[in-house]
Amino acid sequence: DLYRKVFVFRKDPSDAYVVLRARLEQPLHNFTVCLRSYTDLTRPHSLFSYATKTQDNEILLFKPKPEEYRFYVGGKFVTFRVPEGRRDWEHVCASWESATGIAEFWLNGKPWPRKGLQRGYTVGSTAAILLGQEQDSFGGGFDLYNSFSGELTDVYLWDAGLSPDKMRAAFLSLRLPPALLAWNSLSYEVKGDVVVKSRLRE
């Protein structure tokens, strides 16, 4: 249980990452991914990378610069422009539904205008899920200058789009529905220089 804990990715650039194990029974037609990050990086970095054998950017949350997030589904992406952070924790949630191709993006509990992405697509279930690196092949192919350096916490993946109330609950660390990946019952393996530490502040 990683309650009130964080992963600290200590080096920049880094070859370190964390492998997450989810029980995926079937392909995803809808999903929501949420996480909280704290970094002073200004270069591009990967936050959440979900690759299948046929598509390395099956699901990817990527930050190319401080005022932009990219959300990938099935190798295509939409861009969400955000105010440059005040060097504080940033909580992001991204959700997608196949039937409409609607991509939602929430930053610190607030929704951004919705965008269209990969209508009718299906996300594969045999996946390598990593924090801290962007996969260019299944489980590998890293570019160290896309690595994450800083602190990550509150990582979740659901096989459904969350309601606005639940999106806000995720930001506020309130009770959440059962998830494929849940921070308080995470199955993970650290690869390289990543340390689990207590959160410095709430």
Side-chain angles (χ1 to χ4, degrees):
D1 183 1
L2 291 169
Y3 179 67
R4 294 201 170 159
K5 298 275 202 305
V6 300
F7 289 133
V8 182
F9 293 76
R10 300 192 324 152
K11 286 165 65 184
D12 173 31
S14 171
D15 59 359
Y17 59 101
V18 177
V19 181
L20 304 183
R21 296 197 171 78
R23 287 174 288 283
L24 290 157
E25 320 268 294
Q26 58 215 21
L28 300 174
H29 299 282
N30 308 283
F31 69 83
T32 306
V33 58
C34 296
L35 56 82
R36 213 178 291 273
S37 68
Y38 188 32
T39 182
D40 58 6
L41 290 176
T42 54
R43 62 164 175 75
H45 55 276
S46 173
L47 293 162
F48 180 95
S49 171
Y50 176 118
T52 58
K53 288 189 167 126
T54 52
Q55 177 51 257
D56 53 357
N57 295 335
E58 191 76 60
I59 302 172
L60 176 64
L61 267 179
F62 191 77
K63 202 166 185 196
K65 47 189 187 224
E67 62 283 355
E68 193 176 293
Y69 279 91
R70 277 186 196 167
F71 175 35
Y72 287 75
V73 176
K76 305 267 175 32
F77 70 88
V78 285
T79 298
F80 294 93
R81 287 171 189 81
V82 300
E84 189 164 341
R86 298 184 303 279
R87 299 284 177 262
D88 202 348
W89 283 98
E90 287 191 358
H91 183 267
V92 296
C93 285
S95 79
W96 172 82
E97 61 181 29
S98 176
T100 59
I102 289 286
E104 269 186 42
F105 181 84
W106 291 65
L107 177 66
N108 295 334
K110 296 189 178 68
W112 255 233
R114 286 172 278 202
K115 301 199 172 182
L117 182 63
Q118 292 284 55
R119 187 175 193 162
Y121 188 77
T122 302
V123 170
S125 58
T126 306
I129 309 175
L130 307 187
L131 302 177
Q133 297 285 353
E134 192 250 315
Q135 303 176 72
D136 284 328
S137 58
F138 188 72
F142 309 140
D143 173 349
L144 301 192
Y145 290 94
N146 285 336
S147 63
F148 178 78
S149 162
E151 305 191 13
L152 283 179
T153 189
D154 293 347
V155 181
Y156 288 87
L157 174 66
W158 288 272
D159 57 356
L162 291 197
S163 67
D165 284 354
K166 291 287 185 282
M167 289 288 202
R168 286 187 280 271
F171 169 60
L172 297 168
S173 298
L174 302 176
R175 271 186 67 112
L176 292 166
L180 298 171
L181 287 171
W183 189 249
N184 54 8
S185 59
L186 202 63
S187 174
Y188 68 93
E189 188 180 349
V190 168
K191 302 281 194 178
D193 197 344
V194 182
V195 183
V196 176
K197 296 291 285 180
S198 294
R199 235 185 248 194
L200 290 174
R201 59 185 182 82
E202 285 310 297

